[in-house]
Amino acid sequence: LDVQTSDLIVETLAGKLPDKIIHALKPNESRTAELYGLPKTHKPGNPMRPIVSACGDPVDKLSWFIERIITQLLILVPAHLTNTYDYLQHLRTRFPTGLPPGAIAFTVDVNNLYGNIPTAEAIEATITMLRNHSSKVDLFGLTIPDVKKLLEHCLENNYVRFGAKYYKQTHGIAMGSRIAPPLAILFMNAVETRILASDRPQPALYLRYIGDIFGIWTHGSQSLDEYCSLTAVH
């Protein structure tokens, strides 16, 4: 994979980036990513959350480079939150005198977001955003097809070691990969854009921190239950 990744980097980036940067992005004495687990102590039975330690794997430096490009898109995602202060600022701006009578603050957690993301759809969502906002993103001399090719390479070569055995992840995005958070945010943006564009009652405020959704509902509790049920189907 080292040779394959190096060849792709040279083929794609030659003449577009300085040679010293191309050389720095090529894998050198890399290692296979390692899989380990962190216990979810807040859940019954303490199930394990699988984490991939991808630092130093063959596509790690290439993933870092792609992450520098696609992270620029996050500011263009309407629901994206960066921290708690950002959330509170949205609340103050939308409801300067406080929540309206009967308003319901709700939260929704996306189940196993990284593991359930279809990689092809995540790539398409990212590339669509790049096309729609190309004038606002520094591609560092690359074309959008270049970014797509490199992104596909990173997501199609997720090899990990667990103990003495080696595996390839064929579905979802590895938690621990540098590009996992921005890809998850951009994929969720594509999903929620379709949902929020429907003609049924919508939240008065809808915000999200990666897979944790925060909202304000002003249409009554029953309609909120119905809305969440219909959203879950999507």
Side-chain angles (χ1 to χ4, degrees):
L1 186 56
D2 274 14
V3 174
Q4 182 184 358
T5 301
S6 294
D7 289 346
L8 179 65
I9 289 173
V10 172
E11 171 192 321
T12 308
L13 304 182
K16 300 171 184 176
L17 290 177
D19 289 344
K20 63 179 181 180
I21 294 180
I22 294 175
H23 178 74
L25 292 175
K26 293 165 63 176
N28 181 32
E29 298 183 357
S30 59
R31 66 175 183 88
T32 303
E34 297 184 28
L35 179 68
Y36 65 96
L38 292 178
K40 300 180 182 180
T41 57
H42 60 291
K43 293 188 176 182
N46 297 330
M48 300 296 286
R49 182 193 305 277
I51 308 290
V52 172
S53 174
C55 183
D57 83 346
V59 298
D60 180 43
K61 289 186 283 188
L62 179 57
S63 295
W64 170 85
F65 178 63
I66 297 172
E67 189 262 351
R68 293 290 300 274
I69 294 174
I70 64 178
T71 298
Q72 299 173 67
L73 294 167
L74 301 189
I75 195 173
L76 303 170
V77 176
H80 176 56
L81 290 172
T82 55
N83 50 40
T84 302
Y85 176 80
D86 192 18
Y87 171 59
L88 295 175
Q89 190 61 36
H90 274 89
L91 275 177
R92 295 188 189 101
T93 301
R94 180 65 180 83
F95 305 107
T97 60
L99 298 181
I104 301 171
F106 69 91
T107 63
V108 178
D109 177 41
V110 180
N111 183 42
N112 187 23
L113 174 58
Y114 292 109
N116 282 324
I117 293 177
T119 53
E121 292 184 26
I123 292 171
E124 187 56 38
T126 301
I127 297 305
T128 298
M129 282 284 286
L130 281 176
R131 289 197 185 103
N132 292 341
H133 304 284
S134 58
S135 63
K136 302 174 184 176
V137 176
D138 184 357
L139 295 177
F140 302 104
L142 274 65
T143 65
I144 292 178
D146 289 339
V147 176
K148 183 177 182 180
K149 184 193 301 184
L150 297 176
L151 194 51
E152 288 173 339
H153 180 76
C154 290
L155 293 179
E156 291 171 1
N157 291 284
N158 285 325
Y159 294 94
V160 298
R161 180 177 67 83
F162 184 70
K165 295 185 178 181
Y166 292 81
Y167 302 88
K168 180 180 181 180
Q169 183 170 351
T170 58
H171 184 80
I173 300 173
M175 180 176 289
S177 167
R178 296 179 189 273
I179 55 177
L183 279 178
I185 294 166
L186 295 170
F187 171 74
M188 283 297 298
N189 176 63
V191 172
E192 64 202 9
T193 296
R194 294 195 295 269
I195 295 173
L196 295 171
S198 70
D199 57 3
R200 62 176 183 264
Q202 297 290 347
L205 182 66
Y206 178 95
L207 302 168
R208 175 177 48 78
Y209 181 76
I210 307 181
D212 295 314
I213 297 167
F214 310 88
I216 303 296
W217 188 261
T218 57
H219 309 289
S221 59
Q222 182 176 343
S223 62
L224 175 58
D225 291 339
E226 294 171 355
Y227 182 85
C228 290
S229 297
L230 289 171
T231 302
V233 172
H234 285 74

